[in-house]
Amino acid sequence: RRYPTVELRAETFNGSTHVPVPSDSAFLRALLFELRLVDDHVFVEHRDTCTRINHSSVYSVPTDSGDLWPVLAFQKSGLIYACLPLVEEPLEPRPPLLTVSGLSQGLALLLGIMDYISPSRKNEAEMSTKIGQLRNLLIQACPLGTPLNTNIRSLSSSFEDIQEMPVDKDQPAWRSSSYKGKPQVHVCITEKVKCMQYDQRDVVDTWQVYGAVNCKCDIEGSAPKVTLTLNLPSNAPPLQDIVIHHCVTSIDPAMLLSCSAEPLDDSVYSGPYKFPFIPPSDSFNLCYYTSQVPVPPILGCYQLVEEGSQIKITVNLKLHESIKNSFEYCEARIPFFNRGPIAQLEYKVSYGQLDLSREKSLLVWVIGQKFPKSLEVSLTGTLSFGTAGKEHPTDYVCTGNTAYVKLYFRIPDFTLTGCYIDQHSVQIFVPGKPKITATRELISSDYYLWNSKAPAPMVYKTSLD
């Protein structure tokens, strides 16, 4: 199997020193000659000299246009397994084999092919069938020249679903299989919010939102066209740092220019964000984005004070009024590093339930699926510790009173940016009425409240006059 895209990349890397891959028959003749499988009775100095001892399965194969290197080849049970990996650096001087990542990928793929074919070597009819299926399997295992799955045997059961060649000249390379059935599109917007809160006058709290739009389009046809639109509420900040999937066919350039590293101005593209595309066969992320939202979803402060042999903690959390008060889960985890097991614990929670982990070094405050009507919850407690053992957590950053609370939550059917998909705006240019499913979610990611009574790691610091 040949990959024109890989050959073009090789030509780009090597420039004038590039050696083109000859025809299949010419390459086979040259490889058989190099492996001494033809004309082995003839002495050829570059191949047969005793000063050349080949310690690997990597060969330099002479062709009419020059030497092809590195050709990875070996024999097993009467068959030759060979490939020509891409070297992503200049070939002059030749780089060490250990630095060529394509060699290990190519070897893994060849071993996968050998593992698939070799059990049938004593049955000629079965082997012929498997070799006939191999081209189809390689479309899935190595679609554009990069091995995605080297376990060829695991793919053999699904080879009938894979087209050997596109049935339509307009079918893009990323649609490797066809779908039969009622058209349906599943779209999910997932936003993750990272946060660092310090509750200190001279330190600025920071938060960031990252969004991804995942699609799964089960649509008949070789190149179906879909248009999907992301919308924002009228008062929402615009999406920024948008990165799109290569299947998107056209887009407004202004959409890609908004960058979070620059201050927002009135000229920033604020939607709607329209994406026309020809979807891949499998689930994929249509785009990624960020946004500068004005507030984090949960505001909080954490105080830890050491008094003699005891520690006193206070945690206050407030859900912002703009946030949907309906969680799949919400909990605060309070670890105690570089200390022994919690020997005594007295606490009071205004809402939810407090649990102690089995190793007695972590408090888990389960807030549940809703905040109370006041949208505020609090925890106070007094702890004392036993002797530290090897099994208790340590941390080089969190020493002394430097400590944190980490929040974990998921809010279904909600995004912090307000971004949503209008199901009626999804256009599919195929016969039949498609079923459209659109969901969204907000998930916490590295959401920390640092102890305001101690120094904490800071993203940046600002001085107040």
Side-chain angles (χ1 to χ4, degrees):
R1 182 168 177 80
R2 304 174 74 109
Y3 294 96
T5 52
V6 180
E7 293 185 38
L8 183 61
R9 290 177 65 195
E11 187 176 353
T12 303
F13 278 118
N14 300 312
S16 60
T17 62
H18 174 67
V19 178
V21 182
S23 66
D24 291 354
S25 57
F27 175 77
L28 179 59
R29 284 196 303 271
L31 180 61
L32 292 174
F33 183 81
E34 187 65 23
L35 296 177
R36 294 176 57 88
L37 296 175
V38 294
D39 295 337
D40 60 335
H41 60 284
V42 178
F43 177 80
V44 180
E45 185 171 352
H46 86 271
R47 182 189 70 179
D48 302 320
T49 176
C50 61
T51 60
R52 178 186 173 219
I53 301 175
N54 197 25
H55 294 287
S56 70
S57 297
V58 179
Y59 299 88
S60 177
V61 177
T63 69
D64 292 341
S65 303
D67 290 351
L68 272 182
W69 183 90
V71 176
L72 180 61
F74 59 87
Q75 300 177 64
K76 183 72 173 179
S77 304
L79 294 175
I80 302 171
Y81 299 86
C83 70
L84 178 60
L86 174 68
V87 181
E88 297 184 295
E89 56 184 301
L91 293 178
E92 296 295 340
R94 285 184 182 173
L97 294 182
L98 288 176
T99 66
V100 182
S101 61
L103 281 172
S104 58
Q105 294 177 338
L107 180 60
L109 184 63
L110 292 180
L111 292 175
I113 295 173
M114 185 185 73
D115 181 58
Y116 169 68
I117 289 178
S118 59
S120 307
R121 65 184 183 276
K122 294 180 180 178
N123 186 324
E124 190 172 335
E126 186 179 335
M127 179 175 283
S128 295
T129 301
K130 283 196 169 185
I131 291 176
Q133 296 168 0
L134 192 56
R135 181 178 178 83
N136 293 343
L137 295 176
L138 281 175
I139 293 174
Q140 188 174 8
C142 191
L144 295 175
T146 301
L148 302 181
N149 187 349
T150 57
N151 187 358
I152 307 298
R153 188 186 292 181
S154 70
L155 304 175
S156 60
S157 61
S158 60
F159 77 93
E160 292 176 351
D161 298 330
I162 306 168
Q163 301 170 17
E164 180 175 348
M165 292 294 288
V167 296
D168 189 319
K169 62 181 178 62
D170 296 325
Q171 179 170 339
W174 58 84
R175 281 188 68 81
S176 58
S177 62
S178 60
Y179 171 79
K180 299 293 183 183
K182 183 179 180 181
Q184 49 188 351
V185 175
H186 304 272
V187 187
C188 179
I189 302 175
T190 298
E191 288 188 354
K192 294 185 177 181
V193 55
K194 293 187 175 186
C195 191
M196 292 277 178
Q197 296 183 39
Y198 302 98
D199 191 36
Q200 294 184 11
R201 286 192 59 198
D202 60 339
V203 185
V204 177
D205 296 343
T206 63
W207 56 92
Q208 298 165 306
V209 180
Y210 303 88
V213 181
N214 184 269
C215 299
K216 177 71 166 71
C217 301
D218 295 324
I219 306 171
E220 292 186 0
S222 57
K225 295 180 180 179
V226 180
T227 298
L228 187 148
T229 304
L230 298 182
N231 297 285
L232 291 174
S234 58
N235 59 343
L239 304 184
Q240 296 178 285
D241 305 320
I242 297 175
V243 178
I244 60 172
H245 192 275
H246 58 74
C247 71
V248 176
T249 53
S250 63
I251 202 166
D252 188 330
M255 190 188 301
L256 305 178
L257 295 178
S258 179
C259 175
S260 58
E262 301 171 359
L264 285 171
D265 58 51
D266 294 337
S267 65
V268 172
Y269 190 92
S270 57
Y273 303 85
K274 186 172 287 190
F275 299 89
F277 59 95
I278 299 174
S281 308
D282 298 319
S283 174
F284 71 103
N285 285 330
L286 177 66
C287 69
Y288 300 90
Y289 62 84
T290 67
S291 182
Q292 299 182 37
V293 295
V295 291
I298 298 177
L299 297 165
C301 72
Y302 176 39
Q303 294 184 349
L304 180 151
V305 178
E306 206 159 352
E307 295 183 355
S309 61
Q310 292 185 326
I311 282 180
K312 291 190 174 182
I313 62 168
T314 302
V315 184
N316 294 311
L317 303 175
K318 181 178 180 180
L319 181 68
H320 194 270
E321 58 268 16
S322 64
I323 307 301
K324 181 182 179 183
N325 189 9
S326 179
F327 293 77
E328 180 180 307
Y329 58 84
C330 182
E331 64 182 42
R333 297 184 185 181
I334 312 169
F336 296 95
F337 298 106
N338 312 307
R339 305 177 189 271
I342 297 173
Q344 287 185 315
L345 170 63
E346 296 179 3
Y347 69 90
K348 180 181 179 182
V349 291
S350 67
Y351 193 80
Q353 173 184 330
L354 190 68
D355 297 324
L356 178 60
S357 67
R358 181 180 299 177
E359 69 277 7
K360 297 185 177 180
S361 60
L362 174 71
L363 296 180
V364 180
W365 181 14
V366 180
I367 297 163
Q369 296 180 322
K370 270 188 177 295
F371 274 68
K373 287 185 177 180
S374 65
L375 302 182
E376 296 185 37
V377 293
S378 63
L379 159 68
T380 56
T382 304
L383 303 88
S384 59
F385 298 85
T387 306
K390 291 182 179 179
E391 70 277 10
H392 292 283
T394 58
D395 193 291
Y396 295 109
V397 174
C398 298
T399 57
N401 288 353
T402 299
Y404 62 75
V405 174
K406 189 173 183 181
L407 299 186
Y408 296 81
F409 57 82
R410 177 181 180 269
I411 307 177
D413 194 28
F414 180 81
T415 51
L416 196 54
T417 61
C419 186
Y420 67 96
I421 292 168
D422 182 359
Q423 297 186 28
H424 301 292
S425 70
V426 179
Q427 297 176 299
I428 304 177
F429 302 95
V430 293
K433 186 177 181 181
K435 179 183 178 183
I436 312 294
T437 305
T439 59
R440 53 185 188 160
E441 61 183 356
L442 177 67
I443 301 174
S444 63
S445 172
D446 296 333
Y447 204 107
Y448 291 95
L449 310 177
W450 289 91
N451 177 22
S452 61
K453 298 294 185 181
M458 298 171 193
V459 178
Y460 55 84
K461 197 169 183 178
T462 182
S463 299
L464 298 179
D465 294 331

